[in-house]
Amino acid sequence: MNNDFPSVGTIDYDIEAINEEIASSSGVAAYFEIPALDASTNCQIRVNPKEEDISSISTFKTVAHEGFPGHMYQYAYMYQNVDSLYLKTISTNNAFVEGYAVYAGYYAMNYLDIDKDYLTIYKENECATYNIIILADIGIHYYGWDEKEFIDYCVNLGLSLDDETAHNQYVQLQANPGIFESYYVGYEKIVSLLKEVPRKPATLVAG
């Protein structure tokens, strides 16, 4: 990634498992702990060992999202290049923080030795799925959909959900209104901004 992103040097970090209770109930695959402005400890990434096959594309993309070139890189770059503590404190617009990390996760797929057409289809399918989830989120919190209405909407648009997955997804959306918008609306905004600035030719996956 050093050919594509400015260097931030060597970063000390720890990767540890998420707390057992959270791992079993949250549905969270991993998260990056934002370091304090005056932190001297290692960066921390927490992963859910119950969520993914370690060798899957999804796991690779998740680690890229939380680590490099995602959140851990994102904050290391900001902390090294922004002097104002005030700007560091307010630079937490979730759509750009999470939207960038989604972009970084997809961009990192370019480093995989896997057919690029397959990776492009993988990305487009995932983005389409989350667009449906975002619209369902609006249905739940604006129109007041119950679980059956949510499931019917998703199935009608082609999602395949078993009963447990559908229930867990509904509960997650119900408890976290607007959470997915920041990731994927933010991602689409970053992609649109990239089209407005001079840059290297777009790759198959991230363009």
Side-chain angles (χ1 to χ4, degrees):
M1 63 171 279
N2 287 333
N3 293 325
D4 302 316
F5 298 85
S7 174
V8 292
T10 300
I11 302 297
D12 294 323
Y13 64 91
D14 297 317
I15 301 180
E16 298 180 6
I18 292 174
N19 173 279
E20 177 73 20
E21 184 176 345
I22 296 174
S24 300
S25 61
S26 68
V28 173
Y31 64 87
F32 172 71
E33 292 187 354
I34 298 173
L37 296 178
D38 57 352
S40 58
T41 57
N42 290 356
C43 292
Q44 305 288 326
I45 294 178
R46 297 288 183 262
V47 297
N48 189 340
K50 298 179 181 295
E51 281 294 306
E52 300 287 352
D53 171 6
I54 194 66
S55 64
S56 70
I57 294 174
S58 179
T59 298
F60 177 87
K61 185 174 68 67
T62 297
V63 173
H65 177 112
E66 303 298 343
F68 273 51
H71 286 317
M72 187 158 66
Y73 172 84
Q74 179 182 40
Y75 278 92
Y77 183 86
M78 181 176 70
Y79 281 22
Q80 290 178 16
N81 291 278
V82 176
D83 293 328
S84 168
L85 295 179
Y86 174 72
L87 289 177
K88 290 179 182 178
T89 303
I90 66 170
S91 298
T92 54
N93 180 297
N94 214 37
F96 284 107
V97 170
E98 295 298 349
Y100 167 78
V102 171
Y103 171 80
Y106 287 137
Y107 195 95
M109 288 164 57
N110 290 296
Y111 307 135
L112 292 172
D113 186 20
I114 296 176
D115 180 80
K116 298 304 180 185
D117 289 338
Y118 175 82
L119 292 177
T120 298
I121 292 170
Y122 179 98
K123 185 201 78 168
E124 295 299 338
N125 179 70
E126 187 171 271
C127 286
T129 299
Y130 279 107
N131 284 334
I132 293 171
I133 295 298
I134 287 169
L135 292 172
D137 182 24
I138 295 170
I140 292 168
H141 295 286
Y142 187 78
Y143 295 107
W145 291 355
D146 60 22
E147 187 168 333
K148 182 179 183 306
E149 289 173 306
F150 160 72
I151 294 172
D152 289 345
Y153 177 81
C154 292
V155 170
N156 286 339
L157 288 179
L159 294 190
S160 177
L161 301 171
D162 58 58
D163 291 343
E164 181 180 4
T165 300
H167 174 74
N168 290 341
Q169 184 67 78
Y170 179 80
V171 170
Q172 185 183 33
L173 288 172
Q174 191 179 47
N176 299 279
I179 192 66
F180 286 102
E181 280 82 339
S182 61
Y183 288 76
Y184 288 89
V185 176
Y187 164 73
E188 294 292 346
K189 180 63 176 178
I190 286 172
V191 170
S192 71
L193 290 172
L194 284 170
K195 294 177 181 178
E196 299 176 13
V197 297
R199 62 178 181 135
K200 297 177 182 178
T203 62
L204 282 175
V205 177

